[in-house]
């Protein structure tokens, strides 16, 4: 069969794939992008975007409570029309789909609504048998949620199922202690569900700063989330239309309307023809790439979650853009620096972090100093809210270079980006201190930490 010829074929139209396609087309390359599902991948359809929409609704619910205590006349338990919320969320997502499609049309990227797999180092076969030849092939197939191999696991859902909910579940168990588990627990609790968070380990957010993560756990408790550490789920069983969790070291009430696993994600490398072509995978099944997103096959590259490296949307996008700048934009050294990537856990309030936790810093540097600010933000104080803010800065060396900033508090999601720029530029504690504060804000505490 004769094959259509392109400069680059991108497999996957999520965060990384779209960014690769747009940037390559911008450099004048002839591009095809394969995506069998709605455009935007995990982030747009079952990740960042619908998650943030639900977080915003949960945030409003909390603020309605504060408003009432500050004197506004609002009902004690304002009703949420969940279906309307979902409808508005999905309408927003439909607009993103339309705008991506428009951009693909405008930039001349051929969108092919098919799954693809590699036939050889320069040929992609679509699932209708069509073959595409390309000088370069970019794998951007993302990852999928995992369930543990326990009896009855099919009775539990994953984050994708959370977004499919059409009404509020009364009683939910969330299994896991990572950021997705924390975010789902916070949203469901704020929107009125009774939530148990069942965590196998002894703490939340294993890779984040322990001290700040502890405060986040305390905030969840104050908000009414039942937290159970050292709790292992052995099986799920059906009980009168609900789900019973068989637990080791768990809570007494173990029957839930919904059980959601947030127990990790695995790269989508299955049935892509990678092994036949010689693309090397890691033990966890991720595509091995070097600092330039090169795989072990010279014409094949990989970006985003499929590589298992810092699995965040802006990372997939930045890696893809740099790769295309290198391949088609005449920037021979373009590559993404994976250090000091800021990120936010959308808890209530959010937890933003960039750089090293105190624990990591102590492993890497002889001299580590830390600075803190703990306070109750003005709105919480005025509205008798309990939730505390903790800001923490980790510095290393005699010049006290800032190597980690961890902000748990209202506005942390918006505050952190600017400080991430400062850290990237090598800011020191002294320079932070020399910066005049903006008063009265929470952000000022970042430059006033003691
Ligand atoms: C609940 C949740 C919340 C999240 N929240 C955030 C957040 O707040 N901030 C953040 O930065 N990140 C967040 N993430 C992570 C973020 O969604 C991912 O890091 C990001 O989507 C990765 O982009 P990607 O391009 O690598 O993969 P994806 O976006 O997953 O895209 C991969 C695409 O490839 C397609 N595909 C797969 N196989 C094939 C094939 N054989 N042929 C053709 N196409 C194929 C898939 O259909 C999919 O559309 C969240 C993730 C989840 C699950």
């Amino acid at each position: 069969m004769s094959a259509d010829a392109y400069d680059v074929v991108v497999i996957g139209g999520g965060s990384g794939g779209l960014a690769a396609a747009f940037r390559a087309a911008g450099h004048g390359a002839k591009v095809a992008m394969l995506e069998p599902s709605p455009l935007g991948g995990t982030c747009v359809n079952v990740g960042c975007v619908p998650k943030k929409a639900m977080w915003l609704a949960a945030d409003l619910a909390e603020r309605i409570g504060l408003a009432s205590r500050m004197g506004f006349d609002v009902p004690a338990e304002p009703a949420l029309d969940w279906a309307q919320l979902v409808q508005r969320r999905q309408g927003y997502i439909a607009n993103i789909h339309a705008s991506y499609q428009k951009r693909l049309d405008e930039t001349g990227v051929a969108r092919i609504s098919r799954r693809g797999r590699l036939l050889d180092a320069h040929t992609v076969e679509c699932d209708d048998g069509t073959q595409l030849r390309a000088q370069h092939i970019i794998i951007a197939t993302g990852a999928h949620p995992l369930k543990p191999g326990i009896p009855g696991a099919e009775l539990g859902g994953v984050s994708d199922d959370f977004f499919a909910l059409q009404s509020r579940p009364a009683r939910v168990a969330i299994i896991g202690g990572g950021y997705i588990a924390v975010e789902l627990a916070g949203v469901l609790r704020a929107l009125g569900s009774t939530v148990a968070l069942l965590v196998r380990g002894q703490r939340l957010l294993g890779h984040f700063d322990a001290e700040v993560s502890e405060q986040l756990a305390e905030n969840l408790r104050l908000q009414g989330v039942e937290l159970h550490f050292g709790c292992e789920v052995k099986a799920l069983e059906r009980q009168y239309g609900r789900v019973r969790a068989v637990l080791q070291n768990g809570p007494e009430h173990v029957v839930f309307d919904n059980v959601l696993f947030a127990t990790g994600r695995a790269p989508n490398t299955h049935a892509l023809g990678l092994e036949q072509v010689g693309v090397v995978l890691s033990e966890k099944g991720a595509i091995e790439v070097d600092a330039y997103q090169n795989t072990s096959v010279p014409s094949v590259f990989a970006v985003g979650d499929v590589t298992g490296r810092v699995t965040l949307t802006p990372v997939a996008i930045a890696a893809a853009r740099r790769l295309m700048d290198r391949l088609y934009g005449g920037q021979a050294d373009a590559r993404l620096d994976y250090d000091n990537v800021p990120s936010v856990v959308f808890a209530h309030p959010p937890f933003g972090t960039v750089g090293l936790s105190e624990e990591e810093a102590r492993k890497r540097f002889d001299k580590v100093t830390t600075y803190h600010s703990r306070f109750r933000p003005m709105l919480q104080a005025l509205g008798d809210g309990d939730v505390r803010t903790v800001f923490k800065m980790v510095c290393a060396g005699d010049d006290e270079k800032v190597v980690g900033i961890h902000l748990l508090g209202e506005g942390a999601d918006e505050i952190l980006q600017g400080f991430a720029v400062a850290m990237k530029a090598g800011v020191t504690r002294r320079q932070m201190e020399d910066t005049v504060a903006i008063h009265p804000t929470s952000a000022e505490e970042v430059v006033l930490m003691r």
Side-chain angles (χ1 to χ4, degrees):
M1 178 185 284
S2 72
D4 287 342
Y6 293 91
D7 294 316
V8 56
V9 169
V10 182
I11 306 182
S15 310
L18 281 163
F22 290 138
R23 186 55 69 98
H27 287 310
K30 187 181 177 199
V31 187
M33 191 192 77
L34 278 69
E35 175 52 72
S37 301
L39 290 170
T42 303
C43 177
V44 170
N45 298 293
V46 284
C48 336
V49 174
K51 184 270 303 282
K52 184 75 187 278
M54 300 308 281
W55 182 88
L56 286 167
D59 190 50
L60 281 178
E62 294 197 325
R63 282 169 192 272
I64 291 171
L66 290 169
S68 147
R69 291 196 290 278
M70 283 175 72
F72 283 91
D73 181 15
V74 287
E77 286 192 28
L80 168 67
D81 182 339
W82 188 288
Q84 185 180 337
L85 168 61
V86 169
Q87 193 189 8
R88 296 199 75 85
R89 186 189 80 197
Q90 295 309 114
Y92 182 85
I93 290 172
N95 287 341
I96 300 180
H97 293 154
S99 92
Y100 278 144
Q101 187 57 56
K102 184 162 173 271
R103 239 179 113 192
L104 289 171
D105 295 342
E106 283 167 1
T107 51
V109 173
R111 187 218 168 158
I112 299 169
S113 300
R114 293 279 169 191
R115 298 191 74 73
R117 68 181 187 101
L118 298 189
L119 273 192
D120 62 46
H122 290 282
T123 312
V124 172
E125 186 184 55
C126 304
D127 57 10
D128 64 350
T130 313
Q131 292 183 10
L132 314 170
R133 293 278 298 164
Q135 189 190 2
H136 299 123
I137 296 169
I138 317 298
I139 316 275
T141 49
H144 61 276
L146 287 176
K147 285 184 186 179
I150 56 169
E154 71 282 359
L155 299 175
V158 292
S159 54
D160 296 8
D161 300 293
F162 166 74
F163 296 116
L165 288 173
Q166 290 301 318
S167 60
R168 186 189 75 189
R171 188 167 168 79
V172 187
I174 294 165
I175 301 167
Y179 85 92
I180 292 176
V182 164
E183 292 180 339
L184 297 186
V187 164
L188 282 162
R189 179 66 206 120
L191 295 181
S193 298
T194 300
V195 180
L197 189 52
L198 311 178
V199 187
R200 190 170 56 178
Q202 294 302 328
R203 57 165 287 197
L204 297 175
L205 303 172
H207 299 300
F208 291 67
D209 189 272
E211 190 181 4
V212 188
S213 300
E214 262 168 41
Q215 181 63 50
L216 185 142
E218 186 53 29
N219 287 351
L220 280 170
R221 274 195 204 95
L222 287 168
Q223 285 152 356
V225 172
E226 295 168 27
L227 265 174
H228 300 276
F229 291 107
C231 168
E232 180 109 28
V233 184
K234 295 290 182 194
L236 297 183
E237 295 166 355
R238 202 180 289 283
Q239 182 168 319
Y240 306 117
R242 301 171 85 202
V243 183
R244 179 184 162 78
V246 180
L247 304 170
Q248 196 170 333
N249 300 329
E252 280 172 25
H253 303 287
V254 289
V255 179
F256 303 95
D257 299 298
N258 289 72
V259 174
L260 294 171
F261 292 106
T263 43
R265 295 175 63 81
N268 291 329
T269 45
H270 180 67
L272 275 176
L274 297 172
E275 292 87 345
Q276 296 95 287
V277 178
V279 175
V280 172
L281 304 182
S282 72
E283 266 179 22
K284 291 187 172 169
I287 298 181
E288 294 266 21
V289 287
D290 68 10
Y292 291 87
Q293 313 299 143
N294 296 313
T295 70
S296 49
V297 175
S299 57
V300 179
F301 307 84
V303 295
D305 285 9
V306 76
T307 67
R309 295 189 68 189
V310 195
T311 50
L312 293 168
T313 276
V315 171
I317 292 173
R321 287 181 179 162
R322 308 263 192 305
L323 173 62
M324 291 311 171
D325 288 345
R326 183 165 73 79
L327 297 179
Y328 297 103
Q331 300 174 36
D333 281 332
R335 69 181 177 91
L336 175 63
D337 175 3
Y338 282 81
D339 281 341
N340 292 335
V341 171
S343 70
V344 167
V345 180
F346 284 91
H348 304 266
F351 177 11
T353 192
V354 56
L356 304 178
S357 64
E358 182 180 345
E359 301 80 56
E360 285 169 318
R362 292 200 184 282
K363 279 186 215 152
R364 289 201 208 176
F365 301 101
D366 291 336
K367 185 170 177 190
V368 171
T369 40
T370 60
Y371 296 89
H372 295 83
S373 179
R374 286 177 178 272
F375 60 100
R376 192 151 72 133
M378 194 193 274
L379 182 60
Q380 290 287 327
L382 290 170
D384 278 340
D386 287 325
V387 168
R388 300 281 159 166
T389 287
V390 178
F391 288 176
K392 178 169 177 179
M393 185 160 67
V394 182
C395 304
D398 290 331
D399 60 347
E400 292 201 292
K401 187 173 172 194
V402 180
V403 295
I405 299 178
H406 311 282
L407 309 178
L408 172 67
E410 273 171 23
D413 49 338
E414 300 294 345
I415 296 169
L416 187 67
Q417 190 77 70
F419 287 104
V421 174
M423 252 185 68
K424 199 89 185 153
V427 72
T428 63
R429 150 88 177 140
R430 178 70 194 272
Q431 289 167 325
M432 295 282 267
E433 219 174 23
D434 279 349
T435 305
V436 174
I438 305 167
H439 184 72
T441 64
S442 283
E444 67 181 315
E445 295 294 333
V446 183
V447 296
L448 298 174
M449 282 190 232
R450 290 273 156 256

